[in-house]
Amino acid sequence: MDEKDCIFCKIVRKEMDSKVVYEDDEVLAFEDINGRAPVHLLVIPKQHVANLEEIGALSDTVTKRLFEVSSEVARQHGVTEGGYAVRINNGSDAGQEVFHLHLHVLGGKRLGMP
Ligand code: 5GP
Ligand code: ZN
């Protein structure tokens, strides 16, 4: 899938609506449309990379920002103290449905391993 058809690229370009919770020049965070926890956010690089196999295309700064922003939006949503999960479903066996790298930030309930 290229950037033209990628739904997360469309969200970055504001061609599709989303509930944005954080944005800078390189990183966007928004609410998951099908939240599976009281807090379920997605943190993405604005640059299209499919998954970890392509992470070398991101700068070290952007890669680090993905984790920093995950922490920031978790704090913003009040789950830092209780704890939260940051998950990447990488590839089809892991259940990756959208092939634009994204970090799930999940919190507000007890989260186990699948
Ligand atoms: P994956 O299974 O690829 O790790 O997760 C993709 C996530 O994107 C799912 O949790 C799904 O609910 C979410 N999602 C899919 N389409 C949209 C959309 O159009 N808008 C938003 N906000 N989330 C989406
Ligand atoms: Zn994309």
Side-chain angles (χ1 to χ4, degrees), residues 7-8 11 16 18 30-34 36 40 42 89 95-98 102 104:
I7 57 172
F8 286 180
I11 285 173
M16 268 180 66
S18 70
F30 51 97
E31 292 181 6
D32 194 292
I33 205 168
N34 179 28
R36 271 145 287 168
H40 187 174
L42 300 172
N89 297 327
Q96 184 175 10
E97 288 174 354
V98 179
H102 51 280
H104 293 261

Side-chain angles (χ1 to χ4, degrees), residues 1-10 12-13 44-50 98-101:
M1 167 154 337
D2 66 13
E3 298 172 34
K4 192 165 76 62
D5 299 319
C6 169
I7 57 172
F8 286 180
C9 283
K10 287 182 181 170
V12 167
R13 294 194 299 261
I44 69 169
K46 287 189 169 177
Q47 181 181 339
H48 179 90
V49 290
V98 179
F99 282 78
H100 180 133
L101 179 67

Side-chain angles (χ1 to χ4, degrees), residues 3 19-20 22 24 37 47-48 53 58 62 70-71 81 83 94-95 97 103 105 111-112:
E3 298 172 34
K19 292 186 180 162
V20 172
Y22 175 86
D24 64 26
Q47 181 181 339
H48 179 90
E53 274 49 63
L58 298 179
V62 171
S70 297
S71 166
E81 200 173 317
E97 288 174 354
L103 282 62
V105 176
L111 297 151

Side-chain angles (χ1 to χ4, degrees), residues 29-85:
F30 51 97
E31 292 181 6
D32 194 292
I33 205 168
N34 179 28
R36 271 145 287 168
V39 174
H40 187 174
L41 308 168
L42 300 172
V43 179
I44 69 169
K46 287 189 169 177
Q47 181 181 339
H48 179 90
V49 290
N51 57 25
L52 292 178
E53 274 49 63
E54 297 180 4
I55 201 168
L58 298 179
S59 70
D60 292 354
T61 305
V62 171
T63 302
K64 185 176 177 209
R65 282 301 290 155
L66 293 173
F67 291 97
E68 287 175 343
V69 169
S70 297
S71 166
E72 286 167 25
V73 294
R75 180 169 298 283
Q76 185 189 99
H77 285 75
V79 295
T80 302
E81 200 173 317
Y84 57 96

